[in-house]
């Protein structure tokens, strides 16, 4: 008798924990396959420290093959699921297509960025969901401070050293807190000619910082932010963003080159293509994380609406704390369905939350006990070390070195602005030339990646503490630089231009191999969606290889401000072919700057 086949989609907090627990419970009596676009699990709670230069990127990236030795890792992203045929279709990182048969399926695809209909945000803002975005933000902030220090014009200096963060939830608060310390350290060592200092702004329509957390933690976080000079504006958000800055809902304008969007996430749209009952974009499951009517299908993490047995009628929030515990219970129930152990219902006890504010400052309430100051800082870092499934010694070593040595504020230039668009189906994977957008297929139909339930669009929940990450594309191809994006509109023969007809971005000709599928004979008879072009294709006859990627990780967003849910961890992809030697490089990476009103009226409304 053949061994049962278990396929897990996504390696974020829920998927990773499910795979690790199942490997132990089944004792090699089942074939476990983990489908993920990257080969690592991303510990998102520490991502702001990567952007601030405290931790190196590999510190928060835990190897899947190294920590899950008895689990088969398949690199790729799920395009569609045939529930009746018991198969998962996926596209690999180099465009190859494949199918995974299953006897048990675990959906743990996490969540993706939520983009509100605020004019200009998609073109000028950057999210904070994966390693590429964190690396881009570190380079960008460093560059703006260096350019501001060399600028002779005070207006230009002020715009370059003004940084606007939208969303005062877990992620936005930590980004602003760590960012202010990072830029202040740069200016102390290299003062600006004009005598100006960096200015950080934190905006949110909520009445207070960290609105989903205990009010005492909120007061602690706001006090620390204000002590560091962060301009905290509650009840205010962005009404419009332009190349020169932002217009706020209170009618004021801010000249800036940096807009960081930390306001929300939503469940991965993969589950919408299944045709099963949803609750605000999340797949409805029972208390044992099984899909009603589909005993072979389980769901956990951000894509699952799990009943909260402690609060009847409600569902567990989309936080990494819940996702991690979902994974354990889900693995136990999958094993029980195979005759190993017994089924369990998911019941959770709140262990409290921690917010690292940089240095020795933090806000925490472990087991409901509010803490602040160095004690909270010690508890917070101790919690993260205990929660990480690997790299603990390296993380602790980086913290120690940061405490005794100055940070290295240098630009590596590894990630360009067009590589990390806000409207991205895979924010954890940097866009590279030649990678096509994935399609979502359900059985024999093709599901659009951006088909969104309007209720789900408004249902983003703040990811407190540690959370998954990701981001959908809405309207604009995420890999394509906006026309008014830094660097201006790319020429057609430059990176960012229209792909040549003979390149992978166009619909493949019938004589071209595509995993055994011709352009008109795909599973659904419908061409794959190519809405998200993956960065600038090369010109000429050289054809870049197809790329694809996405995954689950985990991280915060903001409920009260324009909000949403997080997503899976995606790793860096192969940069693809080099452009021709005679091709000019892409334009410089420059983020937004000032908005000028000419009608003389105050702005009205709310974002």
């Amino acid at each position: 008798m053949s061994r049962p086949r278990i396929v897990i989609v996504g390696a974020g907090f829920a998927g990773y924990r499910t795979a690790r627990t199942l490997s132990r419970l089944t004792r090699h009596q089942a074939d476990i396959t983990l489908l993920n676009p990257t080969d690592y699990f991303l510990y998102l709670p520490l991502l702001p420290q990567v952007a601030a230069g405290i931790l190196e990127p590999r510190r928060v990236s835990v190897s899947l093959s190294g920590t899950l030795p008895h689990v088969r890792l398949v690199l790729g992203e799920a395009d569609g699921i045939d529930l009746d045929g018991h198969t998962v279709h996926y596209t690999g990182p180099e465009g190859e297509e494949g199918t995974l048969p299953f006897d048990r399926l675990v959906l743990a695809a996490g969540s993706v960025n939520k983009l509100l209909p605020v004019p200009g945000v998609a073109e000028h803002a950057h999210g904070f969901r994966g390693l590429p975005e964190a690396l881009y933000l570190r380079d960008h902030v460093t560059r703006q401070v260096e350019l501001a220090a060399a600028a002779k014009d005070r207006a230009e200096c002020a715009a370059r050293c003004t940084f606007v963060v939208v969303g005062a939830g877990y992620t936005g608060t930590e980004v602003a807190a760590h960012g202010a310390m990072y830029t202040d350290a740069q200016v102390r060592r290299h003062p600006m000619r004009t005598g100006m200092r960096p200015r950080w702004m934190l905006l949110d329509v909520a009445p207070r910082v960290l609105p989903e957390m205990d009010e005492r933690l909120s007061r602690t976080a706001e006090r620390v932010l204000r002590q560091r000079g962060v301009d905290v504006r509650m009840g205010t958000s962005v009404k419009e963003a332009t190349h020169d800055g932002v217009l706020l809902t209170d009618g004021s304008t801010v000249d800036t080159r940096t807009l960081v969007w930390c306001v929300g996430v939503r469940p991965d749209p993969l589950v919408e293509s299944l045709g099963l009952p949803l609750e605000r974009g999340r797949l409805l499951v029972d208390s044992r994380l099984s899909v009603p009517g589909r005993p072979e299908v389980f769901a956990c993490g951000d894509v699952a609406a799990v009943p909260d047995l402690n609060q009847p009628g409600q569902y567990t929030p989309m936080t990494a704390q819940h996702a991690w515990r979902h994974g354990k219970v889900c693995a136990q129930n999958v094993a029980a369905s195979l005759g190993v152990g017994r089924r369990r219902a998911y019941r959770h006890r709140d262990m409290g939350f921690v917010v690292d504010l940089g240095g020795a400052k933090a806000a925490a309430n472990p087991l409901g006990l509010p803490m602040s100051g160095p004690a909270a800082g010690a508890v917070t870092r101790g919690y993260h070390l205990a929660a990480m499934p690997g790299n603990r010694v390296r993380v602790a070593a980086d913290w120690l070195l940061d405490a005794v040595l100055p940070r290295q504020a240098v630009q590596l230039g590894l990630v360009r602005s067009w590589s990390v668009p806000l409207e991205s189906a895979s924010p954890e994977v940097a866009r590279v030339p030649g990678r096509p957008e994935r399609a979502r297929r359900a059985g024999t139909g093709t599901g659009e990646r951006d088909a969104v339930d309007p209720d789900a669009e408004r249902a983003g929940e703040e990811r407190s503490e540690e959370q998954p990450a990701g981001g959908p594309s809405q309207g604009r191809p995420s890999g394509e630089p906006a026309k008014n994006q830094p660097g201006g509109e790319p020429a057609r023969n430059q990176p960012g231009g229209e792909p040549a007809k003979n390149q992978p971005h166009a619909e493949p000709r019938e004589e071209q191999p595509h995993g055994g599928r011709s352009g008109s004979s795909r599973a659904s008879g419908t061409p794959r969606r190519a809405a998200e072009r993956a960065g600038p294709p090369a010109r000429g006859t050289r054809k870049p290889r197809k790329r694809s990627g996405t995954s689950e990780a985990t991280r915060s967003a903001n409920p009260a401000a324009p909000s949403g849910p997080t997503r899976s961890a995606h790793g860096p992809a192969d940069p693809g072919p080099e452009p021709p030697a005679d091709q000019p490089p892409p334009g410089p990476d420059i983020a937004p700057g000032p908005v000028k009103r000419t009608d003389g009226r105050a702005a009205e409304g709310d974002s």
Side-chain angles (χ1 to χ4, degrees), residues 418-509:
W418 58 262
S419 299
V420 285
L422 180 62
E423 292 180 304
S424 171
S426 307
E428 298 84 2
V429 179
R431 292 292 170 264
V432 297
R435 185 195 300 122
E437 162 64 356
R438 64 174 176 171
R440 287 296 197 193
R441 268 194 303 241
T444 60
T446 298
E448 281 297 316
R449 183 82 173 90
D450 294 330
V452 182
D453 180 355
D455 292 333
E457 187 72 16
R458 295 187 290 270
E461 301 180 37
E462 167 60 23
R463 219 169 249 305
S464 36
E465 200 184 325
E466 338 90 278
Q467 296 169 326
S473 169
Q474 297 185 8
R476 181 175 61 83
S478 70
E480 177 186 3
K483 293 182 180 179
N484 53 354
Q485 189 85 333
E489 182 177 2
R492 292 182 179 271
N493 63 343
Q494 289 183 334
E498 291 295 323
K501 291 183 180 180
N502 63 346
Q503 297 210 357
H505 298 299
E507 181 62 26
R509 298 190 300 267

Side-chain angles (χ1 to χ4, degrees), residues 170-429:
Y170 181 84
T171 302
T173 299
E174 286 199 341
V175 167
H178 284 281
M181 291 187 66
Y182 181 60
T183 54
D184 283 347
Q186 283 184 266
V187 173
R188 278 196 299 270
R189 297 172 63 188
H190 303 287
M192 298 183 183
R193 295 182 186 180
T194 58
M196 302 186 68
R197 298 190 64 81
R199 174 193 182 195
W200 284 79
M201 296 182 64
L202 181 61
L203 312 177
D204 201 314
V205 295
R208 59 187 175 90
V209 175
L210 299 172
E212 76 290 346
M213 299 180 69
D214 184 271
E215 191 170 350
R216 287 170 290 189
L217 298 184
S218 176
R219 288 198 299 267
T220 297
E222 183 170 352
R223 182 176 66 252
V224 171
L225 290 172
R226 293 189 184 279
Q227 288 173 350
R228 291 182 184 162
V230 178
D231 184 359
V232 180
R233 298 192 187 185
M234 295 294 96
T236 305
S237 190
V238 173
K239 186 175 183 180
E240 182 182 0
T242 72
H243 180 74
D244 298 321
V246 292
L247 170 66
L248 305 184
T249 54
D250 62 6
S252 61
T253 62
V254 178
D255 295 349
T256 181
R257 301 291 187 271
T258 308
L259 180 60
V260 186
W261 192 255
C262 301
V263 298
V265 288
R266 66 186 179 92
D268 191 302
L270 171 65
V271 298
E272 296 176 0
S273 66
L274 300 178
L276 297 174
L278 302 175
E279 168 62 29
R280 293 189 173 184
R282 293 197 282 173
L283 192 62
L284 279 171
V285 298
D286 58 27
S287 61
R288 293 177 173 83
L289 285 74
S290 176
V291 176
R294 294 281 182 177
E296 76 282 6
V297 180
F298 298 79
C300 54
D302 289 353
V303 297
V306 182
D308 190 340
L309 299 183
N310 296 325
Q311 303 181 58
Q314 298 188 29
Y315 299 94
T316 58
M318 298 194 311
T319 66
Q321 189 176 107
H322 279 287
W324 186 251
R325 289 160 178 78
H326 283 176
K328 180 179 179 180
V329 175
C330 183
Q332 292 172 336
N333 290 333
V334 171
S337 71
L338 299 174
V340 179
R342 60 185 182 86
R343 292 166 60 87
R344 302 171 182 268
Y346 177 74
R347 191 181 296 272
H348 172 74
R349 183 188 173 206
D350 188 2
M351 303 297 292
F353 296 98
V354 294
V355 181
D356 191 331
L357 300 174
K361 301 295 181 68
N365 63 343
L367 301 177
L369 177 64
M371 302 178 67
S372 61
V379 169
T380 298
R381 296 201 167 183
Y383 171 82
H384 286 315
L385 286 180
M388 289 192 70
N391 297 346
R392 295 187 182 95
V393 174
R394 290 184 172 90
V395 169
D398 275 3
W399 283 341
L400 178 61
L401 291 175
D402 181 69
V404 298
L405 297 175
R407 295 182 198 173
Q408 295 177 302
V410 295
Q411 301 177 53
L412 300 179
L414 299 177
V415 182
R416 307 290 289 180
S417 176
W418 58 262
S419 299
V420 285
L422 180 62
E423 292 180 304
S424 171
S426 307
E428 298 84 2
V429 179

